[in-house]
Amino acid sequence: MSLGGGAAGWYTAALMAFRHPRGLRTLFFTEMWERFSFNGMRALLLLYMVGSVQQPGLGFGAKQASMIYGLYTMAVFVSGIPGGWLADRWLGHYRAVWIGGAIIAAGHFTMVFEGLTFLYAGLVLIVIGTGLLKPSISTLVGALYEDAPERRDAGYSIFYMGINLGAFLAPLVCGWLGQKWNWHFGFAAAGVGMVFGLIQYVAGRRHLAIPSTTPSSLPSLPRNDAAADNGATQRVAVIFILSFFALLFWAAFSQTGTSLTLFADRATRLTVFGFTYPSSWFQSCEPLIVILFAPVFAWMWMRREISGAMKFVLGLALHAVAFAIIVPAALRFQANGARVSPMWLVALYVVQGFAELALSPVGLSVVAKLSPPRYAGLLMGVWFFACGMGNYVAGWFAGLLEQMTYARIFGIVAIAMAISAAVLAALAPGIKRLSEGRPGASGGRAHGPGPD
């Protein structure tokens, strides 16, 4: 299922104006509905376990619920490694997305039923399905730009609009159904969203560039070309280095589903003009910023030559600013216990949206460009592994709220992001040389493009 004819026609015209392949539209809407399902359930998961001010939950403590949340979100991303390998070696990327989406939908519908057994079974199914879908759909986006690599960063930024359109709509729909009516209504809506995504994906198959993934047909580096082999090793090293900094970024970013969710529910005013809104609605703020500004960042990357590492530095630095913004509000709540203005969280999410645009779609593009074709899905899985470990760290860290204040949690995150940005800025020139196959004064340039 796509958007309405007018919206779809406008989007196609926009893609043609920027000379992007029509297959990007198919993957845009597929990812939109997948992220709708994932973020819709995620917006409710922690609150379902601990209980909301508007709806009783399972009665878990903040530490236990945060750890479960962290383990689940970690597993979602880490599963991309075996999922990417299966897509590379056996299923193929198109089929992996289709099968993964079907398993995700089954997981959400399993959570419609009450009971811990159905909760945990649903989470396991979503982990398995996402492991197949996520690395493969990102790889399919990269395959659209084999003949126009200079547009790949911009293409991923547009693709990222689909991710965040789904993430924007999900808390509004699933959060309302879950917190205002019944938790399981929200989980059901997430499953319906994934079904829509599958319908749209199959309908647009003819526009995709589907690479062959059988071992005999995959290109490989010449065995007698030591320079090419060394260049590939260096580019893979860049992927691992940037993935480490991405891990740190996501450990901060994923406070959205843990400590920031609890801060929104317990410390922020939830009534405006007599209307009480679900605390999960705050999770729509940041995706909205990404939707509005993704075209700006896509245009900026096409006009200004900035290395992938320095874009990461910008993302980390902006993230430090975002969490520095919320510290005064947390101190005010700590001092008098009165709920604070929602504009503190809105301001944080605005800056966090800029930070995400500077790092996440660029990371996807860098992995797609630097990965040897034989291991494209597997190395995309490594990227998502870093995202997953960041989510686990986020859950573990948020669990410390039983011993630490919100202000201290947010302050530590801000300082950690600032230090990470400074370290990566110092490493950026060396990373750029590695990506180009130039480890130092000696060593030839590798075959293939660098990240920028």
Side-chain angles (χ1 to χ4, degrees), residues 319-356:
H319 222 173
V321 173
F323 276 88
I325 288 172
I326 201 69
V327 171
L331 288 172
R332 183 176 300 179
F333 174 74
Q334 179 182 330
N336 56 31
R339 289 177 175 264
V340 301
S341 167
M343 296 311 296
W344 291 101
L345 273 175
V346 171
L348 177 148
Y349 284 129
V350 168
V351 180
Q352 190 180 69
F354 295 152
E356 184 181 0

Side-chain angles (χ1 to χ4, degrees), residues 66-77:
S66 294
M67 286 300 297
I68 293 173
Y69 177 91
L71 285 169
Y72 159 68
T73 50
M74 177 195 72
V76 162
F77 289 106

Side-chain angles (χ1 to χ4, degrees), residues 3 12 30 38-39 78 125 144 155 218 227 273 303 319 321 331 356 369 389 398 429 447 452:
L3 295 182
T12 301
T30 303
F38 178 79
N39 286 278
V78 170
L125 287 172
L144 295 172
L218 283 166
F273 301 121
R303 292 291 186 271
H319 222 173
V321 173
L331 288 172
E356 184 181 0
K369 283 188 284 190
M389 290 305 298
H447 299 276
D452 287 284

